[in-house]
mmCIF file of all heavy atoms in Angstrom:
data_model
loop_
_atom_site.group_PDB
_atom_site.id
_atom_site.type_symbol
_atom_site.label_atom_id
_atom_site.label_comp_id
_atom_site.label_asym_id
_atom_site.label_seq_id
_atom_site.Cartn_x
_atom_site.Cartn_y
_atom_site.Cartn_z
ATOM 1 N N PRO A 1 -295.119 -85.191 -10.194
ATOM 2 C CA PRO A 1 -294.453 -84.548 -11.333
ATOM 3 C C PRO A 1 -295.467 -84.148 -12.396
ATOM 4 O O PRO A 1 -296.618 -84.603 -12.394
ATOM 5 C CB PRO A 1 -293.523 -85.652 -11.847
ATOM 6 C CG PRO A 1 -294.187 -86.924 -11.440
ATOM 7 C CD PRO A 1 -294.861 -86.635 -10.126
ATOM 8 N N ARG A 2 -295.031 -83.297 -13.305
ATOM 9 C CA ARG A 2 -295.907 -82.879 -14.395
ATOM 10 C C ARG A 2 -296.285 -84.089 -15.260
ATOM 11 O O ARG A 2 -295.443 -84.940 -15.564
ATOM 12 C CB ARG A 2 -295.208 -81.829 -15.262
ATOM 13 C CG ARG A 2 -296.039 -81.386 -16.473
ATOM 14 C CD ARG A 2 -295.311 -80.374 -17.307
ATOM 15 N NE ARG A 2 -295.095 -79.134 -16.589
ATOM 16 C CZ ARG A 2 -296.038 -78.191 -16.422
ATOM 17 N NH1 ARG A 2 -297.258 -78.388 -16.927
ATOM 18 N NH2 ARG A 2 -295.763 -77.085 -15.768
ATOM 19 N N GLN A 3 -297.552 -84.151 -15.656
ATOM 20 C CA GLN A 3 -298.024 -85.208 -16.533
ATOM 21 C C GLN A 3 -298.439 -84.687 -17.908
ATOM 22 O O GLN A 3 -298.422 -85.426 -18.892
ATOM 23 C CB GLN A 3 -299.209 -85.933 -15.884
ATOM 24 C CG GLN A 3 -298.892 -86.565 -14.539
ATOM 25 C CD GLN A 3 -300.118 -87.184 -13.903
ATOM 26 O OE1 GLN A 3 -300.873 -87.909 -14.558
ATOM 27 N NE2 GLN A 3 -300.346 -86.901 -12.637
ATOM 28 N N PHE A 4 -298.838 -83.419 -17.943
ATOM 29 C CA PHE A 4 -299.323 -82.810 -19.186
ATOM 30 C C PHE A 4 -298.812 -81.386 -19.257
ATOM 31 O O PHE A 4 -298.706 -80.724 -18.224
ATOM 32 C CB PHE A 4 -300.863 -82.823 -19.217
ATOM 33 C CG PHE A 4 -301.439 -82.324 -20.509
ATOM 34 C CD1 PHE A 4 -301.598 -83.178 -21.592
ATOM 35 C CD2 PHE A 4 -301.818 -80.997 -20.642
ATOM 36 C CE1 PHE A 4 -302.110 -82.716 -22.788
ATOM 37 C CE2 PHE A 4 -302.336 -80.526 -21.834
ATOM 38 C CZ PHE A 4 -302.486 -81.397 -22.911
ATOM 39 N N PRO A 5 -298.470 -80.907 -20.448
ATOM 40 C CA PRO A 5 -298.540 -81.492 -21.792
ATOM 41 C C PRO A 5 -297.553 -82.645 -21.978
ATOM 42 O O PRO A 5 -296.570 -82.739 -21.263
ATOM 43 C CB PRO A 5 -298.199 -80.313 -22.705
ATOM 44 C CG PRO A 5 -298.350 -79.081 -21.863
ATOM 45 C CD PRO A 5 -298.016 -79.498 -20.473
ATOM 46 N N CYS A 6 -297.817 -83.460 -22.991
ATOM 47 C CA CYS A 6 -296.955 -84.589 -23.306
ATOM 48 C C CYS A 6 -297.032 -84.862 -24.810
ATOM 49 O O CYS A 6 -297.887 -84.313 -25.503
ATOM 50 C CB CYS A 6 -297.345 -85.826 -22.502
ATOM 51 S SG CYS A 6 -299.087 -86.235 -22.571
ATOM 52 N N THR A 7 -296.131 -85.711 -25.286
ATOM 53 C CA THR A 7 -296.016 -85.916 -26.734
ATOM 54 C C THR A 7 -297.166 -86.717 -27.321
ATOM 55 O O THR A 7 -297.493 -86.573 -28.501
ATOM 56 C CB THR A 7 -294.694 -86.606 -27.071
ATOM 57 O OG1 THR A 7 -294.595 -87.827 -26.314
ATOM 58 C CG2 THR A 7 -293.511 -85.710 -26.734
ATOM 59 N N GLU A 8 -297.783 -87.584 -26.539
ATOM 60 C CA GLU A 8 -298.928 -88.364 -27.003
ATOM 61 C C GLU A 8 -299.996 -88.373 -25.915
ATOM 62 O O GLU A 8 -299.682 -88.608 -24.744
ATOM 63 C CB GLU A 8 -298.508 -89.805 -27.315
ATOM 64 C CG GLU A 8 -297.461 -89.943 -28.400
ATOM 65 C CD GLU A 8 -297.059 -91.391 -28.607
ATOM 66 O OE1 GLU A 8 -297.893 -92.283 -28.364
ATOM 67 O OE2 GLU A 8 -295.897 -91.620 -28.980
ATOM 68 N N PHE A 9 -301.229 -88.127 -26.301
ATOM 69 C CA PHE A 9 -302.299 -88.137 -25.293
ATOM 70 C C PHE A 9 -303.652 -88.310 -25.974
ATOM 71 O O PHE A 9 -303.803 -88.079 -27.180
ATOM 72 C CB PHE A 9 -302.280 -86.851 -24.465
ATOM 73 C CG PHE A 9 -302.392 -85.576 -25.250
ATOM 74 C CD1 PHE A 9 -303.614 -84.950 -25.444
ATOM 75 C CD2 PHE A 9 -301.260 -84.980 -25.793
ATOM 76 C CE1 PHE A 9 -303.725 -83.776 -26.152
ATOM 77 C CE2 PHE A 9 -301.346 -83.800 -26.523
ATOM 78 C CZ PHE A 9 -302.580 -83.193 -26.693
ATOM 79 N N THR A 10 -304.601 -88.743 -25.188
ATOM 80 C CA THR A 10 -305.983 -88.912 -25.649
ATOM 81 C C THR A 10 -306.891 -88.095 -24.742
ATOM 82 O O THR A 10 -306.817 -88.207 -23.512
ATOM 83 C CB THR A 10 -306.416 -90.387 -25.596
ATOM 84 O OG1 THR A 10 -305.548 -91.163 -26.421
ATOM 85 C CG2 THR A 10 -307.851 -90.551 -26.081
ATOM 86 N N VAL A 11 -307.717 -87.258 -25.342
ATOM 87 C CA VAL A 11 -308.674 -86.444 -24.596
ATOM 88 C C VAL A 11 -310.029 -87.141 -24.615
ATOM 89 O O VAL A 11 -310.584 -87.405 -25.686
ATOM 90 C CB VAL A 11 -308.797 -85.026 -25.180
ATOM 91 C CG1 VAL A 11 -309.852 -84.221 -24.420
ATOM 92 C CG2 VAL A 11 -307.449 -84.314 -25.140
ATOM 93 N N LEU A 12 -310.548 -87.446 -23.436
ATOM 94 C CA LEU A 12 -311.861 -88.069 -23.297
ATOM 95 C C LEU A 12 -312.866 -86.973 -22.952
ATOM 96 O O LEU A 12 -312.717 -86.294 -21.930
ATOM 97 C CB LEU A 12 -311.859 -89.139 -22.195
ATOM 98 C CG LEU A 12 -311.250 -90.505 -22.519
ATOM 99 C CD1 LEU A 12 -309.765 -90.393 -22.847
ATOM 100 C CD2 LEU A 12 -311.443 -91.464 -21.340
ATOM 101 N N ARG A 13 -313.874 -86.811 -23.824
ATOM 102 C CA ARG A 13 -314.872 -85.763 -23.615
ATOM 103 C C ARG A 13 -316.272 -86.353 -23.615
ATOM 104 O O ARG A 13 -316.553 -87.352 -24.288
ATOM 105 C CB ARG A 13 -314.784 -84.700 -24.723
ATOM 106 C CG ARG A 13 -313.455 -84.009 -24.825
ATOM 107 C CD ARG A 13 -313.449 -82.986 -25.947
ATOM 108 N NE ARG A 13 -314.226 -81.796 -25.620
ATOM 109 C CZ ARG A 13 -314.507 -80.827 -26.475
ATOM 110 N NH1 ARG A 13 -314.124 -80.931 -27.738
ATOM 111 N NH2 ARG A 13 -315.195 -79.781 -26.101
ATOM 112 N N HIS A 14 -317.154 -85.703 -22.845
ATOM 113 C CA HIS A 14 -318.559 -86.100 -22.833
ATOM 114 C C HIS A 14 -319.159 -85.792 -24.204
ATOM 115 O O HIS A 14 -319.001 -84.682 -24.723
ATOM 116 C CB HIS A 14 -319.311 -85.345 -21.736
ATOM 117 C CG HIS A 14 -320.654 -85.902 -21.422
ATOM 118 N ND1 HIS A 14 -321.731 -85.696 -22.242
ATOM 119 C CD2 HIS A 14 -321.094 -86.671 -20.389
ATOM 120 C CE1 HIS A 14 -322.802 -86.295 -21.722
ATOM 121 N NE2 HIS A 14 -322.427 -86.903 -20.601
ATOM 122 N N LYS A 15 -319.823 -86.765 -24.785
ATOM 123 C CA LYS A 15 -320.289 -86.644 -26.169
ATOM 124 C C LYS A 15 -321.273 -85.497 -26.372
ATOM 125 O O LYS A 15 -321.245 -84.810 -27.403
ATOM 126 C CB LYS A 15 -320.938 -87.966 -26.611
ATOM 127 C CG LYS A 15 -321.266 -88.033 -28.107
ATOM 128 C CD LYS A 15 -321.921 -89.347 -28.469
ATOM 129 C CE LYS A 15 -320.971 -90.506 -28.331
ATOM 130 N NZ LYS A 15 -319.896 -90.499 -29.374
ATOM 131 N N THR A 16 -322.155 -85.267 -25.402
ATOM 132 C CA THR A 16 -323.178 -84.231 -25.578
ATOM 133 C C THR A 16 -322.840 -82.939 -24.840
ATOM 134 O O THR A 16 -323.052 -81.849 -25.363
ATOM 135 C CB THR A 16 -324.549 -84.743 -25.105
ATOM 136 O OG1 THR A 16 -324.448 -85.195 -23.739
ATOM 137 C CG2 THR A 16 -325.012 -85.904 -25.967
ATOM 138 N N ASP A 17 -322.308 -83.053 -23.620
ATOM 139 C CA ASP A 17 -322.013 -81.854 -22.832
ATOM 140 C C ASP A 17 -320.654 -81.252 -23.156
ATOM 141 O O ASP A 17 -320.370 -80.111 -22.777
ATOM 142 C CB ASP A 17 -322.086 -82.174 -21.336
ATOM 143 C CG ASP A 17 -323.494 -82.568 -20.913
ATOM 144 O OD1 ASP A 17 -324.447 -82.215 -21.645
ATOM 145 O OD2 ASP A 17 -323.650 -83.229 -19.867
ATOM 146 N N LYS A 18 -319.788 -82.032 -23.820
ATOM 147 C CA LYS A 18 -318.509 -81.563 -24.367
ATOM 148 C C LYS A 18 -317.438 -81.223 -23.333
ATOM 149 O O LYS A 18 -316.384 -80.697 -23.695
ATOM 150 C CB LYS A 18 -318.723 -80.338 -25.282
ATOM 151 C CG LYS A 18 -319.625 -80.612 -26.473
ATOM 152 C CD LYS A 18 -319.093 -81.763 -27.324
ATOM 153 C CE LYS A 18 -319.968 -82.045 -28.528
ATOM 154 N NZ LYS A 18 -319.496 -83.198 -29.312
ATOM 155 N N TYR A 19 -317.670 -81.475 -22.061
ATOM 156 C CA TYR A 19 -316.623 -81.195 -21.085
ATOM 157 C C TYR A 19 -315.602 -82.330 -21.069
ATOM 158 O O TYR A 19 -315.898 -83.465 -21.445
ATOM 159 C CB TYR A 19 -317.205 -80.975 -19.686
ATOM 160 C CG TYR A 19 -317.903 -82.185 -19.085
ATOM 161 C CD1 TYR A 19 -317.182 -83.163 -18.404
ATOM 162 C CD2 TYR A 19 -319.280 -82.321 -19.178
ATOM 163 C CE1 TYR A 19 -317.815 -84.263 -17.843
ATOM 164 C CE2 TYR A 19 -319.926 -83.416 -18.629
ATOM 165 C CZ TYR A 19 -319.186 -84.377 -17.961
ATOM 166 O OH TYR A 19 -319.819 -85.462 -17.410
ATOM 167 N N VAL A 20 -314.378 -82.024 -20.655
ATOM 168 C CA VAL A 20 -313.308 -83.021 -20.601
ATOM 169 C C VAL A 20 -313.464 -83.880 -19.358
ATOM 170 O O VAL A 20 -313.530 -83.366 -18.238
ATOM 171 C CB VAL A 20 -311.926 -82.345 -20.613
ATOM 172 C CG1 VAL A 20 -310.813 -83.386 -20.421
ATOM 173 C CG2 VAL A 20 -311.711 -81.591 -21.913
ATOM 174 N N VAL A 21 -313.526 -85.183 -19.565
ATOM 175 C CA VAL A 21 -313.642 -86.132 -18.462
ATOM 176 C C VAL A 21 -312.264 -86.551 -17.959
ATOM 177 O O VAL A 21 -312.027 -86.653 -16.754
ATOM 178 C CB VAL A 21 -314.438 -87.384 -18.909
ATOM 179 C CG1 VAL A 21 -314.502 -88.413 -17.787
ATOM 180 C CG2 VAL A 21 -315.846 -86.989 -19.356
ATOM 181 N N HIS A 22 -311.338 -86.753 -18.892
ATOM 182 C CA HIS A 22 -310.018 -87.255 -18.506
ATOM 183 C C HIS A 22 -309.057 -87.076 -19.672
ATOM 184 O O HIS A 22 -309.470 -87.002 -20.840
ATOM 185 C CB HIS A 22 -310.131 -88.741 -18.132
ATOM 186 C CG HIS A 22 -308.845 -89.368 -17.699
ATOM 187 N ND1 HIS A 22 -308.077 -88.881 -16.654
ATOM 188 C CD2 HIS A 22 -308.181 -90.459 -18.175
ATOM 189 C CE1 HIS A 22 -307.018 -89.641 -16.503
ATOM 190 N NE2 HIS A 22 -307.039 -90.592 -17.411
ATOM 191 N N ILE A 23 -307.761 -86.991 -19.348
ATOM 192 C CA ILE A 23 -306.718 -87.000 -20.367
ATOM 193 C C ILE A 23 -305.805 -88.196 -20.097
ATOM 194 O O ILE A 23 -305.251 -88.322 -18.995
ATOM 195 C CB ILE A 23 -305.882 -85.706 -20.360
ATOM 196 C CG1 ILE A 23 -306.771 -84.494 -20.656
ATOM 197 C CG2 ILE A 23 -304.766 -85.785 -21.394
ATOM 198 C CD1 ILE A 23 -306.030 -83.178 -20.621
ATOM 199 N N GLU A 24 -305.685 -89.068 -21.078
ATOM 200 C CA GLU A 24 -304.763 -90.202 -20.972
ATOM 201 C C GLU A 24 -303.411 -89.748 -21.507
ATOM 202 O O GLU A 24 -303.249 -89.510 -22.702
ATOM 203 C CB GLU A 24 -305.288 -91.398 -21.770
ATOM 204 C CG GLU A 24 -306.600 -91.963 -21.222
ATOM 205 C CD GLU A 24 -307.146 -93.097 -22.080
ATOM 206 O OE1 GLU A 24 -306.606 -93.312 -23.202
ATOM 207 O OE2 GLU A 24 -308.115 -93.743 -21.656
ATOM 208 N N CYS A 25 -302.451 -89.607 -20.612
ATOM 209 C CA CYS A 25 -301.135 -89.079 -20.977
ATOM 210 C C CYS A 25 -300.168 -90.214 -21.308
ATOM 211 O O CYS A 25 -300.048 -91.185 -20.554
ATOM 212 C CB CYS A 25 -300.573 -88.249 -19.822
ATOM 213 S SG CYS A 25 -301.607 -86.839 -19.362
ATOM 214 N N ARG A 26 -299.468 -90.068 -22.445
ATOM 215 C CA ARG A 26 -298.471 -91.052 -22.855
ATOM 216 C C ARG A 26 -297.258 -90.308 -23.420
ATOM 217 O O ARG A 26 -297.252 -89.089 -23.505
ATOM 218 C CB ARG A 26 -299.051 -91.984 -23.931
ATOM 219 C CG ARG A 26 -300.284 -92.765 -23.492
ATOM 220 C CD ARG A 26 -300.768 -93.701 -24.594
ATOM 221 N NE ARG A 26 -301.136 -92.991 -25.805
ATOM 222 C CZ ARG A 26 -302.309 -92.389 -25.990
ATOM 223 N NH1 ARG A 26 -303.231 -92.409 -25.044
ATOM 224 N NH2 ARG A 26 -302.573 -91.761 -27.130
ATOM 225 N N GLY A 27 -296.256 -91.067 -23.798
ATOM 226 C CA GLY A 27 -295.076 -90.458 -24.387
ATOM 227 C C GLY A 27 -294.263 -89.685 -23.361
ATOM 228 O O GLY A 27 -294.305 -89.952 -22.165
ATOM 229 N N ALA A 28 -293.527 -88.677 -23.856
ATOM 230 C CA ALA A 28 -292.658 -87.866 -23.003
ATOM 231 C C ALA A 28 -293.378 -86.590 -22.568
ATOM 232 O O ALA A 28 -294.163 -86.008 -23.317
ATOM 233 C CB ALA A 28 -291.381 -87.508 -23.760
ATOM 234 N N VAL A 29 -293.086 -86.174 -21.354
ATOM 235 C CA VAL A 29 -293.667 -84.928 -20.836
ATOM 236 C C VAL A 29 -293.026 -83.739 -21.550
ATOM 237 O O VAL A 29 -291.808 -83.723 -21.790
ATOM 238 C CB VAL A 29 -293.445 -84.819 -19.312
ATOM 239 C CG1 VAL A 29 -293.845 -83.437 -18.810
ATOM 240 C CG2 VAL A 29 -294.228 -85.901 -18.596
ATOM 241 N N LEU A 30 -293.834 -82.749 -21.904
ATOM 242 C CA LEU A 30 -293.357 -81.523 -22.543
ATOM 243 C C LEU A 30 -293.409 -80.376 -21.528
ATOM 244 O O LEU A 30 -294.503 -79.930 -21.147
ATOM 245 C CB LEU A 30 -294.227 -81.168 -23.749
ATOM 246 C CG LEU A 30 -294.179 -82.118 -24.948
ATOM 247 C CD1 LEU A 30 -295.266 -81.741 -25.954
ATOM 248 C CD2 LEU A 30 -292.798 -82.082 -25.607
ATOM 249 N N GLU A 31 -292.263 -79.936 -21.076
ATOM 250 C CA GLU A 31 -292.242 -78.777 -20.189
ATOM 251 C C GLU A 31 -292.623 -77.538 -21.004
ATOM 252 O O GLU A 31 -292.078 -77.322 -22.095
ATOM 253 C CB GLU A 31 -290.861 -78.587 -19.571
ATOM 254 C CG GLU A 31 -290.548 -79.552 -18.445
ATOM 255 C CD GLU A 31 -291.434 -79.329 -17.222
ATOM 256 O OE1 GLU A 31 -291.908 -78.188 -17.028
ATOM 257 O OE2 GLU A 31 -291.654 -80.310 -16.484
ATOM 258 N N PRO A 32 -293.565 -76.728 -20.525
ATOM 259 C CA PRO A 32 -293.958 -75.533 -21.275
ATOM 260 C C PRO A 32 -292.759 -74.630 -21.560
ATOM 261 O O PRO A 32 -291.921 -74.392 -20.688
ATOM 262 C CB PRO A 32 -294.967 -74.857 -20.344
ATOM 263 C CG PRO A 32 -295.505 -75.969 -19.502
ATOM 264 C CD PRO A 32 -294.367 -76.904 -19.294
ATOM 265 N N GLU A 33 -292.675 -74.151 -22.803
ATOM 266 C CA GLU A 33 -291.549 -73.299 -23.211
ATOM 267 C C GLU A 33 -291.546 -71.971 -22.466
ATOM 268 O O GLU A 33 -290.502 -71.487 -22.041
ATOM 269 C CB GLU A 33 -291.629 -73.028 -24.713
ATOM 270 C CG GLU A 33 -291.455 -74.243 -25.585
ATOM 271 C CD GLU A 33 -291.483 -73.878 -27.057
ATOM 272 O OE1 GLU A 33 -292.326 -73.048 -27.464
ATOM 273 O OE2 GLU A 33 -290.660 -74.425 -27.792
#
């Protein structure tokens, strides 16, 4: 099932290279409008 977008989430990014390593999804899933 869809995990993202959602109402609460944390974006984990590489400090120097700035790419996204992972998204911690929480809360309710938001179906795109």
